Structures are given as C-alpha cells and as structure tokens.
Amino acid sequence: MAKYVPSPSDWVREQVELYESSGGTKGTTLRDTGLPVVIVTHHGNKTGAIRKTPLMRVKDGNDYILVGSQGGAPTDPAWVHNLRVDPNVEIRDETVVQPMRVREVKDERERSRLWKLAVAAFPPYAEYQERTDRRIPLFVAERSGSPAP
Ligand code: F42
C-alpha cells in the first residue's frame, strides 16, 4: 500500500495535519486571508507516495478548479506533474471528502472563464500570473465513481 509522505514545507505540512486531524473543522483557511482551502490527495508520479496538497477552494458548480500557481514561482509545482500522470484524486472540502477525477484545461475559452472564477475566489492569483512567464496550469476536478487513492 502507498505510504503518505508529508510536504517538506513546514507551513503546508502543518495545515494538512490540522485540517485532517480535526476532520475538516480547523485549519481550513489560508492564514490571515480567511479564504477557504481544500486538501487534494494524489499520488507521486515517481515515488508512488500519497501526497496531500492544500489549494485554494475555487468552485464551478459542483466542480473544483485547481490552480497551479505556487505563488507565481517560475516552475510548475510537483503536484501538477502528478495530476498529469494520474488524474484520480480525493478532495477534502472541510468535512466532505469525495473521489474526483481531474483534467487539465487546454481550451482557451474555457480557461479564460475558469481563470476569472479563480481570481474572483482568490485575487492574488492575478498577481502570481504576472510574476511568472509560465502559463499557470488549471485543472477541473469532477466527481468520479472511482475509488479514492
Ligand atoms: N499552491 C498552489 O499552487 N495553488 C494554491 O492555490 C495553493 C493554495 C494553498 C493554500 C494553503 C496552503 O497551505 C498551501 C497552498 N499552496 C497552493 C501551496 C501548495 O500546497 C504546495 O505546497 C505548492 O503548490 C508546492 O507544491 P509541490 O507539489 O511542488 O510541493 C513541494 C513542497 C513538495 O511537496 N515537494 C516534494 C519534495 O519532496 O520535494 C515532491 C512532491 C512530489 O509530488 N513528488 C513526486 C513524486 O513522485 O512523489 C514527483 C513530482 C515530479 O516533479 O514529477
């Protein structure tokens, strides 16, 4: 069975621990902003390890939009590579945990619509995109019947 390997980043690992150990009742927002966060559980594409990544909650109806901003860093976060290889994830939104399947958004019109939703949910994304030359990747997570990772 795959082993859970926590994030090497202290603040991220601590948020995941508090969020999960409280059953989704504590640690559910981004530090001072008060804006909601979800926990995405996925698999490392090289190690096979279980990874847990907090991301801002951006919703489009029942779907979630996952934004690979990493604060406007020059490279995509590692979790983006993982989702490209294995799209089966589990998303915890406070107390609700659902198996979901992700797909990367390629269509420009769709991306433009979803990017607006992302910036409305978390305005700093706009500044993060300006800070980097890469196109920040977006994924849509839709409900799936497949088992959680
Ligand atoms: N990051 C975002 O990109 N978008 C957000 O909206 C966002 C919100 C957010 C809210 C709260 C919070 O606590 C953190 C938030 N973050 C957000 C940060 C996010 O949780 C990630 O920490 C960040 O995006 C960096 O992701 P990362 O996957 O690069 O994480 C690093 C720190 C990490 O865990 N690196 C591992 C390591 O050991 O160095 C590798 C992890 C990994 O998945 N390895 C793969 C494997 O096989 O196991 C190989 C990956 C590859 O490159 O092929």
Side-chain angles (χ1 to χ4, degrees):
M1 210 173 93
K3 187 169 169 274
Y4 167 50
V5 179
S7 171
S9 162
D10 287 350
W11 69 280
V12 173
R13 183 177 63 249
E14 283 160 17
Q15 173 144 41
V16 171
E17 273 166 19
L18 181 60
Y19 204 129
E20 297 237 312
S21 67
S22 67
T25 58
K26 290 189 185 142
T28 61
T29 59
L30 176 66
R31 298 192 258 191
D32 308 332
T33 67
L35 292 170
V37 168
V38 296
I39 305 285
V40 181
T41 301
H42 54 101
H43 281 115
N45 74 89
K46 292 174 184 150
T47 60
I50 295 172
R51 303 280 183 186
K52 290 181 181 283
T53 303
L55 298 175
M56 301 318 294
R57 180 173 72 197
V58 181
K59 290 209 78 179
D60 179 26
N62 290 326
D63 298 344
Y64 291 84
I65 313 304
L66 311 182
V67 183
S69 55
Q70 197 174 192
T75 56
D76 289 337
W79 61 265
V80 163
H81 304 294
N82 296 338
L83 267 50
R84 284 178 180 149
V85 174
D86 181 355
N88 295 303
V89 303
E90 184 183 83
I91 295 187
R92 173 183 277 280
D93 182 355
E94 298 185 347
T95 58
V96 178
V97 183
Q98 300 183 86
M100 303 200 99
R101 197 174 168 85
V102 301
R103 65 178 172 83
E104 190 165 359
V105 178
K106 306 279 190 194
D107 179 76
E108 280 306 318
R109 282 182 60 186
E110 183 182 28
R111 190 182 185 289
S112 163
R113 184 179 75 79
L114 298 178
W115 180 252
K116 286 188 190 114
L117 291 180
V119 172
F122 186 61
Y125 282 144
E127 188 194 321
Y128 296 167
Q129 180 60 86
E130 280 174 23
R131 214 180 272 173
T132 180
D133 290 336
R134 73 188 165 96
R135 197 80 192 279
I136 289 179
L138 298 189
F139 293 83
V140 177
E142 294 156 322
R143 287 200 61 164
S144 87
S146 57

